[in-house]
Amino acid sequence: MAQHFSLAACDVVGFDLDHTLCRYNLPESAPLIYNSFAQFLVKEKGYDKELLTVTPEHWDFCCKGLALDLEEGNFIKLADDGTVLRASHGTKMMAPEQLAEEFGRKEWKYFMSDIGMACRSGKYYFYDNYFDLPGALLCARVVDSLTKQNNGQKAFDFWKDIVAGIQHNYRMSAFKENCGIYFPEIKRDPGRYLHSCPESVKKWLWQLKNAGKILLLITSSHSDYCRLLCQHILGNDFADLFDIVITNALKPGFFSHLPSQRPFRTLENDEEQEALPSLDKPGWYSQGNAVHLYELLKKMTGKPEPKVVYFGDSMHSDIFPARHYSNWETVLILEELRGDRNGKPEESEPLEKKGKYEGQKAKPLNSLSKKWGSFFIDSISGLKNTEDSLVYTWSCRRISTYSTIAIPSIEAIAELPLDYKFTRFSSNNSKTAGYYPNPPVVLSNDETLTNK
């Protein structure tokens, strides 16, 4: 494989929407998501009212890349070889002795080789994006509450109530019906929760379009919510930018399912219509699959193997499936890189918004968690008379395995020429080669990383 990657060499440029083209104001959106679930659990399912009170300190628990054992209520941070680096029961972190007793130096019980490792199962749940993270904090606090109520309860059965909360707040009709907490609040004041795309990004999108690239938008959000987001961040003419818009894509199934399992559907007034046997022309569709999409892209480009790149923020829904099932190039939007150079995240909102919204803020979810440490690496204690050694996290290894490059935001590359040559992640390059504009400080500063 070539050492470099260039957008100029791509025929098709695809984008996820949430946390990719559309950046959220995380200190505002995180409490809204948390509250949408907590209110449901307390009012509809009878959970402890303490769940409704969140302090700024609580948000330090949030860290991407954690797994929740749904039966035991344990949160797990994995090394790249599947061993457990850190763990908590609910929000209570396990001491090294407890960690050793509980997990030892062996693979976590649900760990499988990367290909077989699902991120969603009946036994565990991986938290890998900013929509998920407020739910991680809520679930941890639910475990605290149930453990306290039931004198050290060992088995937990709260997940069905979390799923019911998802159904209540985020089902397909929730936006139109104005039900739940999340959608009505976003509709009421989108500027509080969403960052408009900078002019540099808008110009860059038109530059891609004018260079003859086919532009795709593939989002798991429903069409009515997608339209609200796009109008707010890109303007009312956003539809002129994209040749194909696919909503309710139900990723990762969009990439992994057979066409017969996940046909495309047309939309009428945001309602899904009949299933289509194939995809014959550009337009706005719902659901669908990557196989039928690629057949259309062949027709549109006149090429037997058009080259596609896809930008997304979720390893589970975007990057892994697009690379593994469709063999697309992938650009990971990794906000943990934002402002990493000076040890703290960039300002998460413009200065003119400071002080506009009252109340206790969540810490930016892309900043370092004191409880969980770095998203990229962690240390394992050495044996007696030996030093601790640093190892890659499972999340970090997946980045270098399945991403072509990783960037903090689209804005970070918007002013580069389209033929700019990025150094890609590959087994021939260093583990930091694919990060642009800079690798995470913790990776570039340390030479002592080991592969266990």
Side-chain angles (χ1 to χ4, degrees):
M1 186 180 280
Q3 185 179 0
H4 293 103
F5 163 74
S6 167
L7 287 167
C10 297
D11 305 295
V12 183
V13 185
F15 299 94
D16 176 38
L17 180 56
D18 297 286
H19 302 288
T20 300
L21 267 181
C22 177
R23 277 189 59 228
Y24 283 73
N25 180 9
L26 296 178
E28 294 292 342
S29 63
L32 176 62
I33 294 168
Y34 178 95
N35 200 34
S36 72
F37 286 108
Q39 294 275 3
F40 177 82
L41 291 185
V42 172
K43 291 178 179 175
E44 303 296 327
K45 299 293 181 179
Y47 281 74
D48 194 323
K49 288 180 182 172
E50 279 187 16
L51 294 175
L52 300 176
T53 305
V54 188
T55 67
E57 290 72 35
H58 278 124
W59 291 101
D60 182 63
F61 185 82
C62 293
C63 177
K64 279 201 313 200
L66 303 182
L68 166 60
D69 183 321
L70 297 177
E71 289 180 348
E72 297 188 7
N74 294 332
F75 286 80
I76 310 292
K77 181 183 181 182
L78 289 172
D80 65 324
D81 65 354
T83 55
V84 178
L85 291 166
R86 302 190 193 199
S88 73
H89 182 70
T91 63
K92 188 179 179 192
M93 300 303 293
M94 293 186 190
E97 303 75 33
Q98 188 183 359
L99 198 66
E101 184 182 334
E102 190 90 22
F103 303 104
R105 285 285 179 85
K106 58 184 186 295
E107 283 184 359
W108 183 46
K109 61 184 175 182
Y110 297 125
F111 186 79
M112 293 176 276
S113 67
D114 223 18
I115 304 304
M117 187 76 172
C119 280
R120 309 285 188 264
S121 99
K123 303 288 188 185
Y124 59 86
Y125 189 93
F126 266 100
Y127 292 91
D128 93 325
N129 64 69
Y130 294 124
F131 273 151
D132 275 352
L133 287 191
L137 173 59
L138 179 64
C139 287
R141 297 188 69 206
V142 165
V143 170
D144 290 346
S145 174
L146 294 176
T147 303
K148 186 175 162 186
Q149 285 172 25
N150 298 300
N151 299 320
Q153 179 172 335
K154 296 290 186 207
F156 295 89
D157 189 28
F158 61 85
W159 189 249
K160 65 182 187 304
D161 295 330
I162 299 292
V163 173
I166 295 171
Q167 291 293 326
H168 175 69
N169 280 288
Y170 301 99
R171 68 176 183 267
M172 196 167 181
S173 60
F175 185 95
K176 186 178 287 186
E177 293 169 4
N178 225 35
C179 82
I181 287 174
Y182 182 81
F183 289 127
E185 180 59 21
I186 295 282
K187 282 198 262 188
R188 188 186 67 79
D189 191 1
R192 178 171 184 168
Y193 302 101
L194 311 173
H195 291 300
S196 294
C197 275
E199 283 304 313
S200 61
V201 171
K202 294 178 188 176
K203 284 180 185 172
W204 178 77
L205 290 169
W206 282 109
Q207 189 184 359
L208 288 167
K209 181 95 171 165
N210 293 334
K213 311 299 180 191
I214 292 171
L215 265 57
L216 312 175
L217 186 62
I218 308 174
T219 175
S220 290
S221 289
H222 300 307
S223 55
D224 43 16
Y225 185 55
C226 170
R227 189 177 295 105
L228 178 144
L229 296 184
C230 288
Q231 285 174 344
H232 184 82
I233 67 167
L234 291 169
N236 291 334
D237 62 347
F238 77 90
D240 297 338
L241 267 173
F242 299 104
D243 298 275
I244 301 168
V245 176
I246 301 164
T247 56
N248 195 26
L250 302 169
K251 297 175 290 182
F254 180 86
F255 296 102
S256 61
H257 281 48
L258 297 170
S260 59
Q261 297 172 295
R262 193 64 66 73
F264 279 96
R265 294 178 181 275
T266 54
L267 284 160
E268 200 171 297
N269 297 322
D270 295 316
E271 299 286 340
E272 291 183 349
Q273 305 301 305
E274 74 282 355
L276 301 174
S278 62
L279 199 60
D280 297 324
K281 60 185 179 183
W284 190 307
Y285 299 95
S286 191
Q287 297 197 41
N289 62 86
V291 174
H292 281 168
L293 172 62
Y294 198 64
E295 289 303 313
L296 176 59
L297 296 176
K298 288 179 187 178
K299 288 183 198 169
M300 291 174 71
T301 59
K303 295 184 177 182
E305 293 186 353
K307 188 169 182 178
V308 184
V309 59
Y310 187 63
F311 288 70
D313 70 297
S314 169
M315 181 58 66
H316 165 69
S317 299
D318 302 317
I319 303 304
F320 170 76
R323 170 61 59 84
H324 178 65
Y325 296 105
S326 297
N327 201 30
W328 291 358
E329 301 278 12
T330 53
V331 179
L332 175 64
I333 305 296
L334 191 63
E335 287 208 28
E336 282 71 14
L337 296 174
R338 292 182 70 83
D340 171 82
R341 308 312 292 176
N342 57 13
K344 62 185 181 196
E346 274 185 13
E347 291 291 352
S348 54
E349 58 184 349
L351 285 174
E352 62 268 21
K353 282 193 181 180
K354 292 289 180 189
K356 183 175 175 183
Y357 305 118
E358 299 304 320
Q360 292 182 312
K361 293 289 194 294
K363 69 150 194 169
L365 298 188
N366 54 4
S367 60
L368 187 70
S369 164
K370 292 174 185 167
K371 283 182 184 285
W372 293 104
S374 170
F375 174 72
F376 302 97
I377 60 171
D378 215 328
S379 60
I380 52 169
S381 299
L383 302 170
K384 274 189 180 176
N385 304 322
T386 63
E387 291 183 8
D388 289 1
S389 55
L390 289 171
V391 294
Y392 292 105
T393 62
W394 183 69
S395 298
C396 184
R397 180 69 68 185
R398 281 166 70 81
I399 291 169
S400 58
T401 304
Y402 296 109
S403 313
T404 303
I405 60 171
I407 59 177
S409 64
I410 290 174
E411 192 178 354
I413 65 168
E415 293 183 356
L416 297 174
L418 295 186
D419 59 359
Y420 182 89
K421 288 182 168 53
F422 297 93
T423 304
R424 64 167 69 236
F425 288 113
S426 79
S427 53
N428 302 328
N429 292 329
S430 76
K431 291 292 180 290
T432 58
Y435 294 102
Y436 180 89
N438 296 295
V441 171
V442 289
L443 296 186
S444 54
N445 283 356
D446 210 289
E447 312 258 315
T448 62
L449 276 162
T450 62
N451 295 310
K452 294 189 290 169

